[in-house]
Amino acid sequence: MATDPVPSDPRPAADPVVRENDGAVARRRVLVTGSTGYIGGRLTPRLVAAGADVRVLVRSPGKLVDVPWAGDVEVVEGDLTDASTVRPAMEGVDVVYYLAHAMGGRGDFEAAEAEAAHTVADAAREAGVGRIVYLGGLHPEGELSKHLQSRKEVGDILLASGVPTVALQAGVVIGSGSASFEMIRHLTDVLPYMPAPKWVRNQIQPIAVRDVLHYLLGAADVPADVNRTFDIGGPDVLRYGQMMNGYALEAGLKQRPIASLPVFTPWLASQWVNLVTPVPRALAVPIIASLQYDCVVHEHDIDQYVPAPAEGLLRYRQAVRLALQREKDGEVETSWQDSSVSGAPSDLLPSDPDWSGHIVYTDDRETDSTAPPEELWKVVESIGGENGWYSFPLAWAARGWMDRLVGGVGLQRGRRSRSTLRAGDALDWWRVEKIERGHLLRLRAEMKVPGGAWLEMTVTPREGGGSHYRQRAVFFPQGLGGRLYWFAILPFHGVIFSGMLERITATAERDAAAASHGDDVPAGRGAQEARVAADDAHGSSAAGS
């Protein structure tokens, strides 16, 4: 085993708020696709801040209800493969940002991506759009993985659209919440020694997410006769092993010896990543597939049109340093977790009257609490992630590992913020479907189950003081397997959900008592104490639902 030496990085990490090309889109009508994704969710507010008139095209407008910039943009519901919704969204638009990717796509995702690109290209040309800006991936010439080939094909379709297109090609993007960063972070944190595929020796040119945003903003102002691809990357060319050890140095860890093993196929490597990191197999596959090649910048022509930031492009370790600080401060703006999970249930919970005529199973529990509603809500909104689920932590962990083994998201995905949630947030194996702050939290399961599952928690004030807490699990079984699944886990529900009910209210009451004595109780502390109590009380247990 050998430890890859890591280039030194003595410069402090700059954190500029405004960059000199932010005015490139001022006073223009801009359409953003992929605004609920990792890059799009960061670019959109920057376009607003730069003075652009921003319109976003999304399949699920509910995902944007709680984002801070939702009131500053025009939200249009639609699907990129549906011309009847794309054409109206293009009306009056000067610049289109194409940031939608099926990273976790399965089946014939290449055809779906190509169809979406053709639909956008045709609608943009018919509407007289002046510029398309696309973000693709760095790649070598020759045969490519399916995901890289699909990204390249999307870029080719847009370049051939008749609308001047800038197709930026970036490598590994490093920033708080990026899938690539999370993969590096967890592999390095978990493994003191790293048996790795031979691609850890390949050359990679990572780029900080803020520099990707810099080029995206500047691309809107490229002259109208420019229609081509541009490579973009940071100043460091590294092997993947060096990237892991660069992270280790910034995180205060020892550098990891890494053994390059030829037996690690891309499929086997994706299973390995699925087990030891929060990145699910469906997302690990395209990331690992892109690492099979040397992905470095072959030309720097973008500098002629979009100069680098005045303070320079961030080096790799600077980008890692900033990402770690953002996560420590709880200021993760967007995350790979925000993206929809391929194959996961996406239907909303039907209203109760719509259940008539359908098979549905529920576990409904409620209780009164002496805690004020605001204290009880704090506990509800901070549930999951590092704060835990208040009941049988070993059972939840076991169920999470079972889900990971079959390719699901498991429990490692965690949550974006430790104390606050918003619609569309990932929360372990759940997705926040609806939140009415202070009153209702509804979660939709994205684990592998034979049916659709939801968990709903409500807090209401009680006459005379205190609050009322209701907790409802809802399951729509799919076929015989779904019915058998529900009855198989039914014995555990009585313990798991009753434990949640008791400990959530007890934690809120304990926090309220502490607050009344002037103690500052951070959100989540009670959850950690409840988790310890549950461990002491139950030791080991079987998997819950």
Side-chain angles (χ1 to χ4, degrees):
M1 292 186 181
T3 302
D4 281 328
V6 181
S8 61
D9 186 10
R11 296 185 300 170
D15 191 9
V17 176
V18 179
R19 286 182 156 168
E20 61 273 16
N21 66 5
D22 283 3
V25 292
R27 297 177 301 280
R28 299 190 195 182
R29 170 64 65 86
V30 176
L31 175 67
V32 180
T33 69
S35 62
T36 59
Y38 180 74
I39 296 293
R42 298 190 179 211
L43 178 66
T44 302
R46 285 162 176 78
L47 290 167
V48 171
D53 181 4
V54 182
R55 176 185 293 162
V56 297
L57 178 66
V58 293
R59 281 183 298 179
S60 303
K63 282 189 173 184
L64 299 180
V65 169
D66 293 317
V67 298
W69 44 264
D72 300 321
V73 302
E74 178 187 356
V75 180
V76 176
E77 184 174 359
D79 190 304
L80 292 182
T81 60
D82 183 355
S84 68
T85 60
V86 174
R87 287 195 190 99
M90 293 285 180
E91 293 179 2
V93 168
D94 302 306
V95 181
V96 172
Y97 282 94
Y98 193 102
L99 304 174
H101 294 297
M103 280 293 289
R106 293 183 295 179
D108 194 11
F109 70 90
E110 303 106 312
E113 288 207 323
E115 180 185 0
H118 278 297
T119 302
V120 169
D122 293 344
R125 182 179 60 254
E126 294 169 7
V129 170
R131 164 70 61 198
I132 296 175
V133 180
Y134 170 65
L135 181 62
L138 280 177
H139 59 270
E141 296 298 324
E143 186 176 352
L144 300 173
S145 69
K146 290 201 306 181
H147 284 84
L148 274 180
Q149 181 60 42
S150 180
R151 283 196 168 195
K152 179 180 181 299
E153 183 180 356
V154 168
D156 291 343
I157 292 169
L158 298 176
L159 287 164
S161 66
V163 178
T165 297
V166 168
L168 300 174
Q169 299 180 151
V172 172
V173 177
I174 301 298
S176 59
S178 78
S180 297
F181 174 70
E182 289 300 307
M183 199 166 96
I184 292 168
R185 179 163 77 99
H186 284 273
L187 284 173
T188 310
D189 284 348
V190 171
L191 303 173
Y193 295 94
M194 177 64 180
K198 60 183 179 180
W199 47 254
V200 296
R201 315 304 272 172
N202 290 348
Q203 298 290 312
I204 300 169
Q205 195 157 354
I207 183 170
V209 63
R210 67 185 49 219
D211 292 327
V212 174
L213 296 171
H214 169 83
Y215 285 121
L216 285 170
L217 283 165
D221 211 32
V222 168
D225 60 345
V226 176
N227 185 69
R228 54 164 293 184
T229 63
F230 292 96
D231 291 352
I232 59 173
D236 295 316
V237 177
L238 305 167
R239 292 187 292 273
Y240 200 80
Q242 289 178 305
M243 292 173 64
M244 290 180 63
N245 281 321
Y247 166 83
L249 290 174
E250 292 300 329
L253 304 172
K254 292 182 179 179
Q255 296 190 55
R256 301 325 199 200
I258 297 173
S260 176
L261 304 177
V263 296
F264 262 97
T265 64
W267 180 88
L268 187 59
S270 67
Q271 312 308 308
W272 180 240
V273 169
N274 177 64
L275 286 176
V276 300
T277 81
V279 179
R281 188 162 56 208
L283 191 55
V285 167
I287 294 175
I288 289 173
S290 69
L291 298 174
Q292 306 303 307
Y293 318 95
D294 287 330
C295 288
V296 297
V297 170
H298 295 289
E299 43 83 11
H300 296 272
D301 296 351
I302 190 65
D303 295 339
Q304 302 173 30
Y305 304 99
V306 185
E311 71 279 6
L313 298 173
L314 292 184
R315 299 191 64 182
Y316 171 71
R317 284 180 58 188
Q318 288 178 293
V320 169
R321 196 176 312 149
L322 284 172
L324 287 171
Q325 189 61 48
R326 291 290 191 199
E327 294 193 347
K328 179 181 178 181
D329 295 340
E331 297 177 354
V332 179
E333 190 175 350
T334 60
S335 170
W336 65 271
Q337 303 165 345
D338 302 332
S339 302
S340 298
V341 177
S342 177
S346 58
D347 292 337
L348 300 179
L349 176 66
S351 61
D352 290 9
D354 293 336
W355 294 0
S356 177
H358 295 273
I359 296 295
V360 59
Y361 301 121
T362 64
D363 185 287
D364 204 335
R365 302 171 188 271
E366 52 191 315
T367 188
D368 290 331
S369 171
T370 59
E374 58 272 17
E375 288 293 342
L376 183 53
W377 176 256
K378 285 181 185 178
V379 179
V380 169
E381 192 174 1
S382 64
I383 199 168
E386 293 181 3
N387 298 330
W389 289 88
Y390 296 90
S391 179
F392 271 4
L394 292 180
W396 285 90
R399 183 64 179 87
W401 278 108
M402 289 170 57
D403 194 51
R404 297 288 286 181
L405 288 172
V406 296
V409 294
L411 281 177
Q412 291 178 291
R413 191 166 57 170
R415 49 183 293 156
R416 177 186 54 84
S417 165
R418 185 166 180 167
S419 59
T420 60
L421 294 172
R422 64 191 185 198
D425 271 2
L427 179 58
D428 294 328
W429 63 50
W430 306 94
R431 177 80 58 181
V432 179
E433 180 174 287
K434 184 176 182 180
I435 182 169
E436 297 175 6
R437 192 152 279 106
H439 171 60
L440 168 71
L441 176 63
R442 181 185 297 152
L443 308 176
R444 184 182 69 246
E446 292 188 332
M447 57 183 164
K448 301 284 187 179
V449 291
W454 289 263
L455 180 60
E456 192 174 77
M457 291 165 274
T458 57
V459 176
T460 53
R462 192 160 55 95
E463 288 187 22
S467 52
H468 184 78
Y469 174 63
R470 184 187 182 195
Q471 178 180 285
R472 182 172 68 161
V474 180
F475 183 67
F476 284 77
Q478 182 177 6
L480 177 61
R483 291 165 171 78
L484 293 176
Y485 171 82
W486 176 262
F487 289 111
I489 63 175
L490 197 57
F492 303 110
H493 279 182
V495 179
I496 292 170
F497 287 136
S498 63
M500 283 184 63
L501 189 84
E502 293 168 5
R503 291 186 182 89
I504 284 175
T505 53
T507 300
E509 290 166 4
R510 186 164 54 246
D511 290 351
S516 68
H517 288 88
D519 297 334
D520 185 14
V521 182
R525 193 190 78 178
Q528 293 171 345
E529 294 173 352
R531 187 170 61 227
V532 171
D535 273 329
D536 292 342
H538 299 293
S540 62
S541 59
S545 65

